Amino acid sequence: MRRSGRAASRAAILLALSLTAVFTLFPIYMALLNSVKTEGEMLTNVLSWPSRLELLNYADAYAKIDFPQSFKNTIVVTVIGVAGIVLLASLAGYKMSRTPGRLSGALFGLFALSSLIPFHSIMISLVRIARGLHLQGTTYGLGLIYIGLGVALAVFLYHGFVKSIPRDLDEAAVIDGCGELRLFASVIFPLLLPISATVAILNALWMWNDFLLPLLMLTDSDYYTLLIATNMLFGEYNNDWSAILASLVLTMLPVVAAYLLLQKYILSGVAEGAIKG
């Protein structure tokens, strides 16, 4: 009875996971399938196989969204945002973890609470502040805003991970003459590489795939990210669906490849940062 019960439980779990995988992957499959069709075939039956592969859709999308420039803008935003979050959050998480007290507890609580605030409740104020600080309309400004929005969760992860690092290392480094910044840079930060990889990957995925914030902040086509450039293919009276889907596939491929290569760091880092300490 126990074996049959376990087998039934495993079968139910496998079925649930399979259904979830199909539900998740189906939109990607549809995008890939219809990106190599003519627009006539797509509008006739979106589920049918193409009569022939229309690979020129990708060349058309590449030109229409100015892929090299849009790709460069997306890379710049992502690098600025990720680098800033990793640097500031690791310093803050380390300092608060190593100096327990009311002030550290209050600051950590504020970071934790700020990560729970919905973006939609602050986006109007954020746009007005960004405009006043001359951050609106540039890739570096968008990257700085991402730092402010993403640092809270990263501090939470670093704070938990630092607790797993023995304080004896700090004391030994101080005895050898290390100042606080040198101690962090030479001793602590190298030990934070697993959680740093997780923070970097999670935030890079978020920034690469984000649509709403770049739509609000970028006003010049020279600074459009890939998703905003793709959005410009939607017209008031006509939508170029072949180019749109091909553009979405081009946008999706780099981040999917990065996720598949680095997914083990995401899972291990999140678990360690949330559980340790």
Side-chain angles (χ1 to χ4, degrees), residues 31-32 35 55-68 70-71 74 208-209 226-227 230 233 242-257:
L32 290 170
S35 67
L55 297 180
L56 289 178
N57 290 342
Y58 285 89
D60 186 33
Y62 187 92
K64 285 184 175 180
I65 67 172
D66 191 4
F67 186 85
S70 301
F71 184 81
T74 309
W208 192 279
N209 293 317
L226 286 168
L227 284 179
T230 300
L233 297 178
S242 299
I244 290 170
L245 291 175
S247 176
L248 289 174
V249 173
L250 289 175
T251 302
M252 174 180 61
L253 286 178
V255 72
V256 169

Side-chain angles (χ1 to χ4, degrees), residues 95-154:
K95 185 63 176 179
M96 286 187 290
S97 179
R98 285 295 195 254
T99 54
R102 291 184 179 180
L103 179 59
S104 293
L107 291 174
F108 182 70
L110 288 175
F111 276 111
L113 287 174
S114 65
S115 65
L116 302 177
I117 299 174
F119 172 75
H120 299 81
S121 66
I122 63 171
M123 65 180 184
I124 296 176
S125 301
L126 183 62
V127 170
R128 296 185 64 179
I129 294 171
R131 188 181 297 121
L133 295 175
H134 304 289
L135 297 177
Q136 189 178 30
T138 61
T139 51
Y140 78 86
L142 180 58
L144 292 176
I145 293 170
Y146 274 127
I147 293 174
L149 293 175
V151 75
L153 178 60

Side-chain angles (χ1 to χ4, degrees), residues 49-227:
W49 284 90
S51 57
R52 62 188 179 89
L53 298 180
E54 287 289 340
L55 297 180
L56 289 178
N57 290 342
Y58 285 89
D60 186 33
Y62 187 92
K64 285 184 175 180
I65 67 172
D66 191 4
F67 186 85
Q69 183 63 37
S70 301
F71 184 81
K72 175 187 172 184
N73 293 337
T74 309
I75 288 290
V76 169
V77 170
T78 304
V79 168
I80 292 174
V82 168
I85 288 173
V86 169
L87 176 61
L88 296 177
S90 60
L91 281 167
Y94 166 71
K95 185 63 176 179
M96 286 187 290
S97 179
R98 285 295 195 254
T99 54
R102 291 184 179 180
L103 179 59
S104 293
L107 291 174
F108 182 70
L110 288 175
F111 276 111
L113 287 174
S114 65
S115 65
L116 302 177
I117 299 174
F119 172 75
H120 299 81
S121 66
I122 63 171
M123 65 180 184
I124 296 176
S125 301
L126 183 62
V127 170
R128 296 185 64 179
I129 294 171
R131 188 181 297 121
L133 295 175
H134 304 289
L135 297 177
Q136 189 178 30
T138 61
T139 51
Y140 78 86
L142 180 58
L144 292 176
I145 293 170
Y146 274 127
I147 293 174
L149 293 175
V151 75
L153 178 60
V155 166
F156 176 80
L157 294 174
Y158 276 112
H159 187 274
F161 194 90
V162 168
K163 290 181 179 179
S164 68
I165 300 176
R167 287 178 177 268
D168 295 344
L169 294 176
D170 301 41
E171 296 171 0
V174 170
I175 292 173
D176 289 339
C178 280
E180 195 165 12
L181 286 178
R182 186 181 174 188
L183 163 65
F184 176 79
S186 301
V187 179
I188 301 300
F189 190 74
L191 299 175
L192 298 178
L193 287 181
I195 193 64
S196 294
T198 299
V199 169
I201 295 166
L202 289 176
N203 284 284
L205 292 174
W206 163 47
M207 296 172 196
W208 192 279
N209 293 317
D210 191 28
F211 175 75
L212 181 55
L213 185 58
L215 182 64
L216 294 172
M217 295 297 169
L218 300 178
T219 56
D220 189 338
S221 60
D222 291 337
Y223 298 106
Y224 282 169
T225 58
L226 286 168
L227 284 179

Side-chain angles (χ1 to χ4, degrees), residues 198 259-269:
T198 299
Y259 181 82
L260 292 176
L261 290 173
L262 303 173
Q263 60 180 324
K264 64 179 181 179
Y265 297 106
I266 299 176
L267 300 176
S268 62

